[in-house]
Amino acid sequence: MRIFLRLLILFLAVSTVLSRFRRFFAGAARTRPEPRLRPSGGGRLVKDPVCGMYVPEETAIRAGEQCFCSEACRDKYVS
Ligand SMILES: [Zn+2]
């Protein structure tokens, strides 16, 4: 009977540790930072024809068909 109790306690201890490990790894996977390959908003990148920089379409300065990284580049292109 004593051996049975010991086995029961051992089993409980092992299962507790295992569930803690599982929760730890699940939490680690959840808090992993997202890859930042795409700009926020999922928009596409457009190329500034003046300086050659790629800027997210939604934040680009527009002048007709062209997109620019800044007003300075747009002015340079227009002039
Ligand atoms: Zn530019």
Side-chain angles (χ1 to χ4, degrees), residues 8-58:
L8 187 70
I9 289 164
L10 188 71
F11 173 76
L12 283 174
V14 167
S15 62
T16 305
V17 168
L18 277 180
S19 71
R20 259 188 214 178
F21 261 102
R22 218 169 292 158
R23 216 174 300 160
F24 173 76
F25 281 118
R30 221 182 307 131
T31 54
R32 198 179 295 164
E34 286 178 29
R36 290 219 157 212
L37 294 175
R38 286 184 202 174
S40 58
R44 68 193 186 92
L45 291 174
V46 287
K47 193 181 180 184
D48 181 329
V50 176
C51 66
M53 205 170 90
Y54 284 90
V55 283
E57 198 173 25
E58 66 263 32

